[in-house]
Amino acid sequence: MLTDTHAHLYYPDILDSLPEILQRAEEAGIGRVIVPAVNLETSLKILDLSKEYEQIYCALGLHPCDVSKSNPNEINEIEKLLSHKKVVAVGETGLDYYWDTSNIEQQKDLFRKQIRIASKLKLPVIVHTRDSTDDAITLMKEEYEQYPVRAHFHCFSGTLAQLSECLSIPDSHISFCGNITYKKSLLDEVISAAPIDRLLSETDSPFLPPMPYRGKKNEPSFMIKTLEKISNVKGIPETELMNVVSKNAEKFFALQ
Ligand code: NI
């Protein structure tokens, strides 16, 4: 059973058709969807969704693009929600230097905080990076000795050197999104080099739909197209890849 490890299914226009979206996912062999939060409000919403839909699991945390808007107590409130049985990760957290570089210290501070919470609770952490991969890796390595944690670098689009740095963190995993299917994608070499035992599957719905769905709202069932591309680039049968990433997700997120 496949898992879409990253789909933001809480937007109002998506909620309207969520039963159909989950049905299409199921038909495509995707039995679980991890929905990552970006703040307290979405954390609460996702918890509710996970109670309503068996397929939905939660990652709760504060996104780097939301740290400026957050109140100082927000992360503590989110921390209290992490003991729910369908919470499988902390996140998404990380660093984003694309949208805002005026608050880098605050972003780093909250990233560290979430790594430490995840380490304490023995949950993995979902890491977002944009123009910030080197800093995110450095920070994770600094934290690792005292606060070891399993890191999922989602939507990986770094270089070969960054890939090997990410993978040097014990038990870290990476995943690719639909943008690897775009003509201008320069990620084939990185996909080739990524070991399948460190690979997870995701969509980042509703963003980055793979071809031929570009221009549409992405949804978990489209994940098959991204996996198709990975299996082509790596020259391994699709069924084998699906098998491996399914098991990786179950182990990494300790899914039942
Ligand atoms: Ni995301």
Side-chain angles (χ1 to χ4, degrees):
M1 186 200 290
L2 285 163
T3 301
D4 181 350
T5 64
H6 201 105
H8 296 274
L9 298 183
Y10 48 73
Y11 292 102
D13 50 337
I14 292 175
L15 288 177
D16 291 340
S17 45
L18 192 53
E20 292 83 5
I21 288 172
L22 292 174
Q23 176 67 28
R24 287 194 289 273
E26 186 93 53
E27 283 160 12
I30 299 150
R32 301 187 195 92
V33 180
I34 299 173
V35 182
V38 293
N39 54 26
L40 177 60
E41 190 192 338
T42 48
S43 292
L44 290 166
K45 202 179 264 182
I46 294 163
L47 262 185
D48 281 345
L49 290 177
S50 77
K51 290 171 194 161
E52 194 173 342
Y53 299 99
E54 206 190 328
Q55 266 166 290
I56 291 187
Y57 291 77
C58 324
L60 308 184
L62 197 53
H63 192 284
C65 291
D66 281 63
V67 298
S68 291
K69 292 170 267 173
S70 73
N71 73 57
N73 201 34
E74 194 155 338
I75 190 61
N76 304 324
E77 291 300 315
I78 294 172
E79 186 177 0
K80 289 182 199 155
L81 305 173
L82 293 169
S83 60
H84 190 278
K85 65 177 183 339
K86 285 192 93 180
V87 175
V88 296
V90 174
E92 58 183 292
T93 176
L95 302 172
D96 191 307
Y97 297 173
Y98 178 80
W99 292 108
D100 196 354
T101 49
S102 69
N103 63 355
I104 287 180
E105 283 317 308
Q106 194 192 5
Q107 288 191 38
K108 285 185 174 173
D109 183 47
L110 276 153
F111 187 18
R112 276 186 211 282
K113 228 173 226 166
Q114 292 179 81
I115 290 169
R116 292 174 185 188
I117 290 169
S119 178
K120 185 175 76 184
L121 298 175
K122 298 198 165 34
L123 286 170
V125 70
I126 297 176
V127 183
H128 164 107
T129 62
R130 192 155 182 199
D131 298 348
S132 58
T133 307
D134 291 334
D135 273 14
I137 295 167
T138 304
L139 188 148
M140 294 225 57
K141 285 187 170 173
E142 282 167 13
E143 289 293 303
Y144 197 88
E145 271 197 24
Q146 242 191 310
Y147 304 98
V149 71
R150 301 193 296 288
H152 171 198
F153 291 91
H154 105 91
C155 198
F156 190 83
S157 58
T159 61
L160 276 176
Q162 287 168 335
L163 174 73
S164 91
E165 282 298 304
C166 281
L167 295 176
S168 73
I169 300 169
D171 211 19
S172 62
H173 282 51
I174 64 152
S175 56
F176 298 103
C177 293
N179 55 318
I180 63 166
T181 66
Y182 302 167
K183 261 210 184 89
K184 281 188 180 156
S185 163
L186 300 169
L187 287 165
D188 282 13
E189 216 184 348
V190 173
I191 295 168
S192 287
I196 56 171
D197 62 337
R198 307 286 289 277
L199 212 54
L200 295 167
S201 48
E202 70 154 313
T203 56
D204 204 14
S205 296
F207 314 107
L208 298 173
M211 297 299 283
Y213 305 112
R214 203 169 180 186
K216 289 191 176 182
K217 229 177 281 161
N218 200 3
E219 63 170 66
S221 64
F222 297 169
M223 193 173 81
I224 304 301
K225 290 287 167 194
T226 304
L227 290 172
E228 235 175 71
K229 167 77 182 184
I230 296 171
S231 79
N232 286 338
V233 173
K234 295 184 91 55
I236 50 172
E238 238 177 281
T239 45
E240 184 189 332
L241 177 69
M242 286 181 177
N243 229 331
V244 173
V245 293
S246 295
K247 292 207 174 90
N248 289 350
E250 283 164 20
K251 195 170 165 213
F252 187 86
F253 292 104
L255 300 169
Q256 303 294 322

